[in-house]
Amino acid sequence: MIAATGFDRRNVAVLGLGKSGLATVRALEAGGARVFAWDDAEAKREEAAKEGFRLADAVAWDWSAFSALILSPGIPLTHPVPHPAVLKARAANVEVVGDVELFQRAVNASGIPARIVAITGTNGKSTTTALIGHMVRRCGGDAQVGGNIGRAVLDLDPPQKGTVYVVEVSSYQIDLAPGLAPDIAVLLNITPDHIDRHGTIEHYADVKARIFARQAHGDTAVIGADDALTMEICTRESARRAATVVPVSVGKALSRGIYVLDGIVYDSTGTQTAKAGDLREIKTLAGAHNWQNAAAAYATGRALGYQRERILAAFESFPGLAHRMEIVGEAGGVRFVNDSKATNADAASKALATYDNIYWIIGGKAKEGGISSLEPWFAKVRRAYLIGDAARDFAEALKGKVEAIHCGTLDRAVEAASRDAAADKADLKVVLLSPACASFDQFTSFEERGDVFRAAVQERLKARGGAAA
């Protein structure tokens, strides 16, 4: 755990007691703060009470007594309306920040030359974070991986000389971290998402771009160059001449930067363009979207001082990320792929673009825009299996384009898709859970949804003598 310093013997309010919130309370108490915690959900308060935390109703907090409000990223800061506690804190001139801000301050205060790599983007940030962490370890470094993936950022080990913090940060976390100053900042892409929490796509992009705001000479900004919003940010950061900007791209050559053409990585950061490696045979990095992740990770590795041969060797041993195009089993020419982390259409498009002969399990709590943007890949889908709240709307969107079956639940969808795929004579068929939806209609998280899919597949494979991953 990293102790959150700077609030010794001062009152601090923590609102939101999920994984990061509980870690924040522990870290603040370890740093000497007097913490008053609250969550609007009774179950979360009960969990905090079991740890002996001081609970106090946020509605009754005396803001004149507090030095800061530490807000969990899931609680609205600006849109659709700020949480009442945020409004009261601001009216009392109490700063409102999040756990990533406390993390940055603690690392700064330690005086230890640890390095921070922060990764964001609409899609691919978890895979890229995991890949960079794996690369750092394989290249002999001490990687502490967490943030919006895995361990809460304040639950990571305290800094030591040579520690590399590899931290996934969401737009919500960036919004609450005005002091964030990573040594290496990675922005992969920006597509419409979380508009309900940011108001407009332009504000969403502005928040994402703040990951670079406090970078200075000697830092590195790795920026995707394959969509208009990130390209604009790349141009702006290059003109600012603060950090060294490294553009990354898939499908187009860059005069400067890292790019991937047909699975081959090219390094154009020096005086000559060099072929850096081949990603085509790495199953856990299949597809153009993973090539972008790998290009960003490669750029990060080079900024950390690693040799290209060691970086590519690390990529070859990358085990992949759970719930993101995770191969969970294969039998009789049928591959089962868990892509539960594809919670919006753009994320689902990556798996659809990678495979053919797809038996697609789709649905849940729909995001803005639905699945209309996925039509270019409908021809790759043999049949769709609809689950959750979005089933009716998705059936209408697929009408006349893809045969769709209403299954309702994930278990029934796995059963139907498995049966249909097994009857297909193609050499490779893919039963793909890539829902293009949030999970909260039937599950507590995309992880739970993916776990249910994996368990259902493995049960079927075990009964039929197939291979589970």
Side-chain angles (χ1 to χ4, degrees):
M1 180 183 67
I2 299 172
T5 55
F7 295 102
D8 187 33
R9 291 176 290 180
R10 295 161 68 188
N11 294 339
V12 179
V14 174
L15 182 59
L17 296 173
K19 178 177 67 175
S20 66
L22 293 173
T24 298
V25 176
R26 297 184 200 106
L28 283 164
E29 289 187 342
R34 291 188 294 266
V35 184
F36 295 80
W38 189 254
D39 195 294
D40 293 337
E42 183 177 355
K44 297 294 185 182
R45 298 197 299 269
E46 290 175 354
E47 185 177 352
K50 289 177 182 177
E51 291 201 41
F53 295 153
R54 183 188 292 109
L55 295 174
D57 190 342
V59 175
W61 282 341
D62 176 9
W63 290 103
S64 65
F66 285 104
S67 296
L69 167 61
I70 314 303
L71 193 69
S72 289
I75 297 173
L77 176 68
T78 56
H79 295 82
V81 292
H83 189 281
V86 172
L87 296 174
K88 291 181 179 180
R90 285 174 171 163
N93 292 318
V94 173
E95 70 168 345
V96 181
V97 295
D99 62 335
V100 172
E101 178 69 16
L102 298 185
F103 160 77
Q104 179 74 64
R105 294 180 187 181
V107 173
N108 292 349
S110 74
I112 296 172
R115 303 183 78 178
I116 297 174
V117 179
I119 301 98
T120 197
T122 305
N123 296 304
K125 55 186 178 292
S126 293
T127 297
T128 304
T129 300
L131 179 59
I132 291 171
H134 177 79
M135 174 188 67
V136 171
R137 294 186 182 114
R138 286 286 176 160
C139 290
D142 169 30
Q144 294 290 315
V145 181
N148 197 48
I149 177 179
R151 297 164 69 188
V153 70
L154 290 170
D155 259 345
L156 300 176
D157 294 347
Q160 301 179 28
K161 185 177 180 180
T163 296
V164 179
Y165 289 105
V166 185
V167 182
E168 178 185 328
V169 287
S170 69
S171 56
Y172 304 162
Q173 290 170 312
I174 295 171
D175 222 2
L176 290 162
L180 179 62
D183 299 275
I184 303 170
V186 179
L187 172 59
L188 294 165
N189 47 60
I190 296 176
T191 57
D193 199 14
H194 303 306
I195 304 305
D196 58 328
R197 282 287 301 272
H198 294 295
T200 65
I201 184 65
E202 290 78 16
H203 183 233
Y204 174 55
D206 287 344
V207 171
K208 288 287 193 187
R210 289 178 202 163
I211 197 171
F212 308 113
R214 290 189 173 271
Q215 285 196 298
H217 181 72
D219 297 333
T220 301
V222 178
I223 309 178
D226 291 332
D227 65 74
L229 289 166
T230 53
M231 191 65 239
E232 180 182 343
I233 293 168
C234 186
T235 301
R236 189 164 68 236
E237 290 303 314
S238 296
R240 194 162 68 92
R241 297 181 180 275
T244 298
V245 175
V246 182
V248 298
S249 179
V250 175
K252 65 182 179 184
L254 300 175
S255 59
R256 179 179 58 87
I258 308 298
Y259 60 93
V260 183
L261 299 178
D262 297 324
I264 307 298
V265 182
Y266 295 91
D267 185 338
S268 186
T269 57
T271 55
Q272 291 184 326
T273 298
K275 180 179 175 181
D278 191 339
L279 303 173
R280 290 174 295 183
E281 298 302 317
I282 305 176
K283 287 186 178 180
T284 54
L285 293 175
H289 65 294
N290 272 325
W291 296 345
Q292 184 190 48
N293 300 337
Y298 175 89
T300 300
R302 295 295 286 151
L304 289 169
Y306 303 146
Q307 296 298 313
R308 63 171 61 101
E309 294 80 10
R310 297 193 71 184
I311 295 170
L312 268 295
F315 289 179
E316 289 170 0
S317 63
F318 179 55
L321 186 69
H323 311 297
R324 193 64 177 110
M325 286 180 59
E326 175 192 14
I327 299 171
V328 296
E330 194 162 338
V334 180
R335 180 175 296 171
F336 296 86
V337 178
N338 169 20
D339 196 37
S340 182
K341 200 174 189 302
T343 58
N344 58 48
D346 187 65
S349 72
K350 315 307 183 188
L352 293 176
T354 300
Y355 294 111
D356 294 308
N357 307 317
I358 299 170
Y359 292 81
W360 184 22
I361 300 174
I362 179 176
K365 187 175 178 60
K367 293 284 187 75
E368 183 177 346
I371 58 170
S372 59
S373 63
L374 298 177
E375 188 166 347
W377 294 278
F378 285 172
K380 297 158 72 74
V381 178
R382 296 293 180 93
R383 190 168 289 164
Y385 305 83
L386 307 178
I387 64 173
D389 290 352
R392 187 185 300 273
D393 289 341
F394 284 5
E396 188 63 30
L398 295 170
K399 190 174 182 180
K401 301 164 187 171
V402 176
E403 182 182 358
I405 299 174
H406 284 267
C407 295
T409 66
L410 185 51
D411 284 346
R412 288 200 291 267
V414 170
E415 180 180 0
S418 301
R419 182 182 61 246
D420 293 347
D424 191 326
K425 301 301 182 184
D427 290 338
L428 177 65
K429 294 82 60 175
V430 177
V431 173
L432 172 66
L433 170 66
S434 193
C437 286
S439 58
F440 304 125
D441 56 339
Q442 295 179 323
F443 304 96
T444 59
S445 64
F446 73 80
E447 291 97 339
E448 183 190 11
R449 178 172 61 190
D451 289 343
V452 169
F453 175 77
R454 186 191 300 110
V457 168
Q458 292 178 349
E459 183 178 349
R460 291 186 65 82
L461 292 179
K462 184 177 179 180
R464 299 176 65 176

